Amino acid sequence: MDTDGTRLSDWISELFEAGPQGLARFAATLDPRWIEAALDATGSASIRRRKLPAEQAVWLVIGMALFADRSIQSVVDHLSLLMPTAKSLSPSAIPQARYRLGPEPMKWLFQKVASAWSGEFADVYKGYSLHAVDGTCLRVQDSDANFERFGKPGGRGGKNDAGYPQARLVALLNIGSRLLEDVAFGAYTDAESTLAEKLWASVPDNSLTVLDRGFSRFATWSSLVDQERNKHLMVRLRKTAKYDELEELPDGSVLVELTPSQLARAADPQSAPIRGRIVAYQHPGGDPVKLFVSLVDAAQHPAAKLVALYHERWEVEVAFDELKTHMLQRKEALRSRKPDGVLQEIWGRLLTYNLVRREMALSALEHDVEPNRISFTSAMMWIRTVWLTSWRDAPGTIPKHLGNLRTSLNMLILPERRSERRYPRHVKIKMSNYKRNRGKRSIPKGNPPK
């Protein structure tokens, strides 16, 4: 509650009435009460009336993600984020408002949205919701603070010699809708398998989670497989994986037991073998592949179907491309030069990605197509256009804008995928011959971040 007795919820209602109707455009999706709860839960609510209060700073962070090609000042101006009584705003007040807000409210909002929407558009295989986990890295601005917090990959000059610091991110994705269900991120030096441990509790019951061979720890597999809660795993095995063969099954798969190594037993003396099947296959011209899946009934889950399901894991790679390339408008790195700003920006980007993805899923539902048949780039640009132009219209026209958006998205439906196409990977980036410009950084070369 503010000092004049006004509740924060009243403030937010005022903001939606007085601000650009583009904010109300998303209000049907992002409940204003969630913003109030996020600010209250994280102690970030504005105590006194400011020209750019915390509630508007939330929308500023969302706008920064949606309009990566605009300056922060332009985002404030175009979205009319100032309070109605404010005639002007000094440029320094914008970053001050961002850092007063901090990353925690954006994290809270993302987790609220992910929890509320994760099961809305679930892709189901014989009663199992389908999920994928994988990791990626996001470039951040090359400042001393970001380097100390996140670290860099190696380069021509050795350790920490890359052009930009990078934050490592691991995501749990709903394969059917491509909505992000949970995310963990940290420094570049943090292992994907370590970050992923924070995600396992978010995997729902009655589910099948697909992993790449990078997640090869027995503890990871043991955490994901729970027969009582009907939680199952499918993972590509490394060539060195050890298992005991029990029985060859009619579909060509083999019933096996994965046994914990000595290191796994030392870390967890209660480790027990995991029973499942090995499904072996080889695409023409490709290497032999072995999948381990904890679904043991070969009649219900034939090997050929499981091979097709495994390749749905690539949906998480597509999501990373949308986050890093299309939303970032092909810019080299995120905006923020301070670690707290980086964290806030990442949570805001993940939240905005889910807002766009949910709108696409609703549109796909109306047109009776799969959500991955809607063009992410075109949908995001359409939403940007609506947000920039709808502030001129009366509030009562917003439902019409929403309906027009979903109706018009039939123009954005992509053709069906030709999954039989195969393209080998190539590296086409030529390294520069110019000497690196490291500014005035005093951190010794090769010194790893703390």
Side-chain angles (χ1 to χ4, degrees):
M1 184 174 292
D2 288 346
T3 53
D4 63 354
T6 304
R7 282 191 52 80
L8 187 57
S9 57
D10 298 330
W11 269 74
I12 294 173
S13 297
E14 177 184 339
L15 294 172
F16 276 98
E17 292 173 4
Q21 297 306 323
L23 297 185
R25 166 68 188 79
F26 268 147
T29 299
L30 187 59
D31 192 331
R33 291 172 296 182
W34 292 353
I35 299 178
E36 175 182 357
L39 298 175
D40 284 344
T42 57
S44 302
S46 294
I47 302 301
R48 62 187 178 90
R49 289 182 180 268
R50 299 181 182 272
K51 293 181 179 179
L52 188 60
E55 309 88 271
Q56 292 289 64
V58 169
W59 287 108
L60 169 61
V61 176
I62 294 173
M64 287 167 53
L66 198 58
F67 298 93
D69 58 337
R70 306 289 181 91
S71 69
I72 296 179
Q73 179 69 57
S74 295
V75 173
V76 173
D77 293 342
H78 283 296
L79 302 185
S80 304
L81 291 176
L82 293 186
M83 294 301 295
T85 55
K87 296 182 179 179
S88 64
L89 185 71
S90 66
S92 63
I94 300 174
Q96 289 173 11
R98 277 192 61 203
Y99 285 100
R100 274 197 309 269
L101 177 69
E104 291 302 318
M106 304 310 299
K107 176 181 179 180
W108 192 99
L109 271 174
F110 168 78
Q111 291 175 336
K112 179 67 176 179
V113 161
S115 174
W117 299 342
S118 61
E120 272 191 322
F121 310 98
D123 193 7
V124 177
Y125 161 70
K126 297 188 177 180
Y128 298 96
S129 59
L130 300 177
H131 311 267
V133 174
D134 209 347
T136 189
C137 289
L138 294 170
R139 293 193 193 104
V140 302
Q141 290 294 320
D142 189 20
S143 66
D144 288 352
N146 284 346
F147 173 71
E148 291 178 350
R149 172 64 178 82
F150 298 107
K152 289 183 177 183
R156 292 173 298 171
K159 185 181 290 186
N160 298 319
D161 189 58
Y164 291 91
Q166 294 185 17
R168 190 178 297 281
L169 178 149
V170 178
L172 171 67
L173 184 91
N174 182 299
I175 288 178
S177 63
R178 269 194 228 145
L179 281 164
L180 296 168
E181 299 175 291
D182 201 359
V183 170
F185 51 85
Y188 178 80
T189 52
D190 292 335
E192 288 185 1
S193 56
T194 301
L195 292 172
E197 291 175 1
K198 303 175 183 179
L199 306 181
W200 303 145
S202 299
V203 177
D205 297 349
N206 305 308
S207 62
L208 175 63
T209 303
V210 186
L211 304 178
D212 195 13
R213 57 185 168 185
F215 298 91
S216 59
R217 295 169 57 181
F218 186 88
T220 295
W221 302 337
S222 183
S223 298
L224 276 173
V225 177
D226 189 332
Q227 297 289 349
E228 291 184 2
R229 297 171 61 184
N230 223 14
K231 295 171 66 171
H232 291 276
L233 160 73
M234 179 156 56
V235 60
R236 181 177 175 180
L237 294 180
R238 294 182 182 273
K239 294 179 180 179
T240 56
K242 305 293 184 183
Y243 50 84
D244 297 325
E245 296 188 8
L246 303 179
E247 180 185 355
E248 187 171 349
L249 301 175
D251 67 342
S253 63
V254 180
L255 187 67
V256 302
E257 274 192 348
L258 294 177
T259 54
S261 65
Q262 291 183 352
L263 287 176
R265 287 196 187 95
D268 181 9
Q270 304 300 318
S271 295
I274 305 173
R275 180 166 292 200
R277 293 155 59 203
I278 297 292
V279 177
Y281 69 96
Q282 183 175 8
H283 286 302
D287 295 329
V289 174
K290 289 184 178 180
L291 302 178
F292 172 81
V293 59
S294 60
L295 297 167
V296 297
D297 190 335
Q300 283 291 319
H301 312 288
K305 180 61 178 177
L306 294 176
V307 170
L309 277 180
Y310 176 75
H311 287 274
E312 293 297 310
R313 186 195 69 80
W314 279 99
E315 294 298 331
V316 71
E317 302 286 358
V318 176
F320 288 155
D321 179 59
E322 292 165 348
L323 275 167
K324 296 168 59 176
T325 303
H326 304 300
M327 287 191 71
L328 202 54
Q329 300 289 300
R330 299 187 179 274
K331 291 187 175 295
E332 290 289 337
L334 301 181
R335 302 173 190 252
S336 304
R337 300 187 64 83
K338 297 179 181 179
D340 274 358
V342 170
L343 299 179
Q344 180 193 72
E345 196 174 344
I346 293 176
W347 287 120
R349 184 168 298 277
L350 299 173
L351 170 64
T352 305
Y353 175 85
N354 270 0
L355 288 171
V356 175
R357 266 281 154 209
R358 184 174 187 267
E359 197 63 54
M360 293 168 62
L362 291 171
S363 301
L365 193 64
E366 290 187 9
H367 293 286
D368 195 27
V369 296
E370 297 295 325
N372 62 16
R373 292 278 308 281
I374 303 292
S375 165
F376 178 86
T377 303
S378 299
M380 187 180 69
M381 296 303 295
W382 190 282
I383 290 171
R384 279 168 47 114
T385 301
V386 170
W387 201 352
L388 281 174
T389 58
S390 62
W391 65 271
R392 300 186 183 92
D393 300 333
T397 65
I398 297 307
K400 178 181 177 181
H401 281 300
L402 184 60
N404 286 344
L405 171 65
R406 292 179 184 163
T407 301
S408 300
L409 280 181
N410 65 347
M411 297 183 296
L412 312 182
I413 296 176
L414 300 170
E416 292 188 19
R417 287 183 181 172
R418 291 175 286 169
S419 58
E420 72 280 359
R421 293 185 298 173
R422 298 286 183 271
Y423 296 104
R425 292 181 174 181
H426 294 87
V427 176
K428 295 189 176 181
I429 298 177
K430 181 181 183 297
M431 301 303 293
S432 173
N433 294 323
Y434 287 101
K435 187 178 179 180
R436 296 247 189 241
N437 179 0
R438 303 188 180 284
K440 299 179 180 179
R441 177 165 302 141
S442 59
I443 299 171
K445 184 177 178 181
N447 188 30
K450 299 178 180 178

